[in-house]
Amino acid sequence: MYTTELSKQPNVQSIEDPERLAAFEARVAADEFIEPKDWMPEAYRRTLTRQISQHAHSEIVGMLPEGNWITRAPSLRRKAILLAKVQDEAGHGLYLYCAAETLGTSREEMIEALHSGKAKYSTIFNYPTLTWADIPAIGWLVDGAAIMNQVPLQRTSYGPYARAMVRVCKEESFHQRQGYEAMTSLANGTPEQKRMAQDAFNRWWWPSLMMFGPPDENSPNTAQSLRWRIKRETNDELRQKFVDITVPQAEYLGLTVPDPDLKWNEAKGGYDFGAIDWDEFYAVVRGEGPVARERMTARREAWESNAWVREAAAAHEAKRRQRAAA
Amino acid sequence: MSDWPLWEVFVRSKGGLAHRHFGSVHAPDAAMALRHARDTYTRRMEGVSLWVVRSADIVASDPDEAGQLFEPAADKVYRHPTFYDIPDEVKHI
């Protein structure tokens, strides 16, 4: 799960050795990978740390809306699948935290930044999951949008991030397919189930399109990020791809895309779609999403109420070390 | 509480292959590091064997010295079999 450029920082150019900077730019332009101990400009380090940690936080917070439905999954099969998916999200968060740590920020600092509300995570998780149909919709649309964002990042210039993305993408495909399959069951079900499917689709469609981040003209860091190969395609390019791929999938299910302006454009070989409510997007980014407060409360509670497990593990290690020394 | 030590995780994908670096985990001790490595990196039969090594115990070469370290090989081309001219009539060499 991933949304680009949630918090913007002014592009501060610190004074750096121009020769090293030129050598770095040349390496990146030649599609070489940058590894943790290689020299890198401070702005590159900072931008990546922010991007990777926000990505990690999104995976972790992403467990909350789905975890909520594990006990209420409609069958044992769906429950086992959902458990595995939520466990994957935890794994993705851990791969990404590790990658971010190689840039010199500790895990503790990152988790603290999330819990204090200083760090951002994907806006999509601040929407509620009202019915079971939201779980299939999330797998299909939210994970689908995440894949669209993440596939190009497998070739991102920072080695540890690219390698984490390779593993994430491999696992994410299961997430999307299980969602579409579960959506198919509802779409082919009773009239009430069909209504549930359409209702969930209506609520998740626009927030999914927003996951690609603000439009290119309001995305001032895009050019720099593209040049540094931190990003490989622009927000609008990825959003268009997502729409073009997803609309036929919705049609196959007999669902109506909640966009009266959606129309195939033969000339561009893609769909034209209606205006996105960017005021809503920025409000959610500012933390005004419908369940933003609830998410962070749940996250902090999980962290605090499980502190005893971390303490016990540390105490166990200390005791063993003492015994070994005696 | 500050972070637990970092451990690098190496996975042998299948018998006959070497362990390969997969990523890292935080853990208070080796046994817990192995458990975390198992849950984090081998949820889909990715491996048959795990190694965990304290990251602090790894000694790495300095990327800034990569030139000095690795370049000398380039002017010692006679170390490669293709450096030598063998007549076409001579086979199996």
Side-chain angles (χ1 to χ4, degrees), chain B residues 4 16 20 28 44 49 53-54 60 65 68 73 77 79 85 87:
Chain B
W4 285 332
R20 192 167 63 81
R44 291 180 173 77
S49 163
V53 183
R54 283 281 289 259
E65 285 170 13
Q68 295 168 41
V77 284
R79 286 183 168 169
D85 288 329

Side-chain angles (χ1 to χ4, degrees), chain A residues 20-300:
Chain A
R20 290 193 115 170
L21 191 60
F24 172 86
E25 299 270 357
R27 282 186 67 194
V28 171
D31 273 335
E32 276 185 42
F33 287 101
I34 305 301
E35 294 296 341
K37 291 195 170 161
D38 294 350
W39 184 87
M40 61 187 83
E42 265 320 297
Y44 177 85
R45 185 185 300 276
R46 212 170 39 234
T47 308
L48 263 177
T49 303
R50 191 184 70 224
Q51 180 170 328
I52 303 173
S53 61
Q54 284 177 359
H55 196 161
H57 297 328
S58 302
E59 303 283 353
I60 298 300
V61 178
M63 289 191 282
L64 297 170
E66 293 185 308
N68 218 9
W69 278 93
I70 290 172
T71 54
R72 294 174 289 166
S75 68
L76 187 56
R77 180 173 182 271
R78 295 275 178 231
K79 183 186 280 212
I81 291 169
L82 190 54
L83 261 174
K85 181 180 189 296
V86 171
Q87 192 191 15
D88 273 358
E89 307 299 359
H92 296 177
L94 294 176
Y95 307 157
L96 286 158
Y97 280 131
C98 286
E101 280 173 78
T102 63
L103 291 159
T105 305
S106 73
R107 177 83 56 100
E108 195 189 13
E109 285 171 83
M110 287 187 273
I111 290 178
E112 173 52 33
L114 172 67
H115 291 180
S116 70
K118 206 176 119 221
K120 305 277 184 197
Y121 56 88
S122 190
T123 48
I124 196 87
F125 301 117
N126 286 337
Y127 291 89
T129 42
L130 301 178
T131 74
W132 164 254
D134 290 35
I135 298 305
I138 287 177
W140 169 34
L141 301 170
V142 175
D143 289 272
I147 291 172
M148 202 61 82
N149 262 325
Q150 290 169 157
V151 164
L153 289 175
Q154 294 178 97
R155 295 175 295 120
T156 194
S157 61
Y158 189 56
Y161 193 24
R163 291 191 287 275
M165 281 301 100
V166 170
R167 223 185 320 275
V168 167
C169 286
K170 232 184 255 172
E171 299 177 351
E172 205 88 73
S173 173
F174 138 60
H175 297 178
Q176 194 191 14
R177 291 173 65 112
Q178 67 81 31
Y180 194 75
E181 189 211 63
M183 204 64 169
T184 312
S185 299
L186 292 175
N188 294 332
T190 64
E192 204 186 343
Q193 286 172 324
K194 280 183 202 170
R195 264 200 309 278
M196 268 171 71
Q198 181 66 52
D199 165 63
F201 185 50
N202 291 348
R203 284 181 291 107
W204 289 96
W205 173 253
W206 291 107
S208 299
L209 296 195
M210 292 177 197
M211 282 178 70
F212 296 95
D216 292 348
E217 70 262 24
N218 289 336
S219 184
N221 292 346
T222 290
Q224 170 78 295
S225 288
L226 284 173
R227 201 161 54 97
W228 275 344
R229 308 285 204 267
I230 291 174
K231 214 167 162 171
R232 311 274 337 205
E233 284 169 83
T234 73
N235 298 353
D236 286 334
E237 283 166 2
L238 290 166
R239 185 164 20 242
Q240 182 69 50
K241 262 195 196 175
F242 177 76
V243 171
D244 293 343
I245 284 178
T246 311
V247 169
Q249 294 171 353
E251 282 168 354
Y252 180 82
L253 294 175
L255 297 175
T256 311
V257 181
D259 177 0
D261 298 325
L262 186 84
K263 204 170 72 220
W264 177 255
N265 181 332
E266 190 61 47
K268 78 170 182 187
Y271 287 91
D272 290 331
F273 51 94
I276 292 172
D277 183 354
W278 291 113
D279 291 340
E280 177 183 318
F281 173 78
Y282 288 114
V284 180
V285 168
R286 284 195 304 271
E288 296 164 24
V291 290
R293 193 184 299 264
E294 194 182 318
R295 293 283 182 253
M296 270 311 99
T297 306
R299 179 64 210 133
R300 275 193 294 263

Side-chain angles (χ1 to χ4, degrees), chain B residues 45-71:
Chain B
M45 298 183 293
E46 285 92 340
V48 294
S49 163
L50 280 170
W51 285 352
V52 290
V53 183
R54 283 281 289 259
S55 306
D57 290 339
I58 290 181
V59 182
S61 63
D62 181 349
D64 285 341
E65 285 170 13
Q68 295 168 41
L69 268 176
F70 303 112
E71 255 159 32

